Amino acid sequence: MNSQNQQNCPNKIKFGLVSKCFIALTILNYLGSFINKNYILVFSNIPLFTIFELELYRLFTSAFIVESILELLFNIFIIITILNYWENKEGTAKYTIKFLLNFITFQIINLFLYLILFIIFPSSLVYKIKIIHLIGISYLVKYLLLT
């Protein structure tokens, strides 16, 4: 009986463990911004603090910081569609290692780009770096190139 039900049901989305954690972190950080108005400034990757004050924890906490409900929905959409697909395809352990390597690489490259921009535009060091969109695009390009 169960096999008949499985054949009649359309394919359901399988959520990987890491994708569930990313969604939970994104929602918790959005709710945290309501508790304290400075929450976003404390955990965002702002090059002025990350580089000159050596607050390296910002490299890890900034990926899931969102400022509006639309950005929250967009981040969740990226996590569910693109990142969850790759987690299901590659496996949780392999995907997590690759994601962390890509994540740190993107963060460091962006910090260096902001340092270069600092020479021309000194105010660039106070901008927030948002990385989840770039990682989603990179995985999307990888998918397009492999199919």
Side-chain angles (χ1 to χ4, degrees), residues 62-78:
S62 65
F64 308 105
I65 298 293
V66 291
E67 298 181 31
S68 68
I69 189 73
L70 292 176
E71 190 177 355
L72 173 71
L73 294 174
F74 186 66
N75 282 1
I76 289 175
F77 177 74
I78 287 174

Side-chain angles (χ1 to χ4, degrees), residues 73-112:
L73 294 174
F74 186 66
N75 282 1
I76 289 175
F77 177 74
I78 287 174
I79 292 168
I80 289 173
T81 57
I82 300 169
L83 301 181
N84 187 45
Y85 168 78
W86 281 102
E87 182 180 2
N88 289 331
K89 185 175 180 180
E90 293 182 344
T92 301
K94 186 176 178 182
Y95 166 77
T96 305
I97 292 169
K98 285 184 176 183
F99 179 84
L100 289 175
L101 289 175
N102 287 333
F103 175 74
I104 294 299
T105 303
F106 272 115
Q107 291 281 44
I108 291 171
I109 289 171
N110 273 333
L111 282 175
F112 283 125

Side-chain angles (χ1 to χ4, degrees), residues 4-111:
Q4 284 180 335
N5 288 339
Q6 289 177 355
Q7 291 174 355
N8 294 335
C9 293
N11 291 337
K12 293 183 181 179
I13 297 175
K14 296 178 184 176
F15 286 104
L17 179 65
V18 175
S19 297
K20 287 179 187 177
C21 291
F22 288 169
I23 291 171
L25 285 171
T26 304
I27 293 171
L28 287 174
N29 283 327
Y30 179 69
L31 295 175
S33 66
F34 288 115
I35 296 170
N36 185 355
K37 296 298 179 190
N38 294 326
Y39 186 86
I40 293 171
L41 296 174
V42 171
F43 292 108
S44 292
N45 187 5
I46 302 171
L48 178 68
F49 299 114
T50 306
I51 296 170
F52 296 123
E53 299 295 325
L54 293 177
E55 295 177 357
L56 298 179
Y57 69 90
R58 292 175 181 265
L59 293 174
F60 299 102
T61 59
S62 65
F64 308 105
I65 298 293
V66 291
E67 298 181 31
S68 68
I69 189 73
L70 292 176
E71 190 177 355
L72 173 71
L73 294 174
F74 186 66
N75 282 1
I76 289 175
F77 177 74
I78 287 174
I79 292 168
I80 289 173
T81 57
I82 300 169
L83 301 181
N84 187 45
Y85 168 78
W86 281 102
E87 182 180 2
N88 289 331
K89 185 175 180 180
E90 293 182 344
T92 301
K94 186 176 178 182
Y95 166 77
T96 305
I97 292 169
K98 285 184 176 183
F99 179 84
L100 289 175
L101 289 175
N102 287 333
F103 175 74
I104 294 299
T105 303
F106 272 115
Q107 291 281 44
I108 291 171
I109 289 171
N110 273 333
L111 282 175

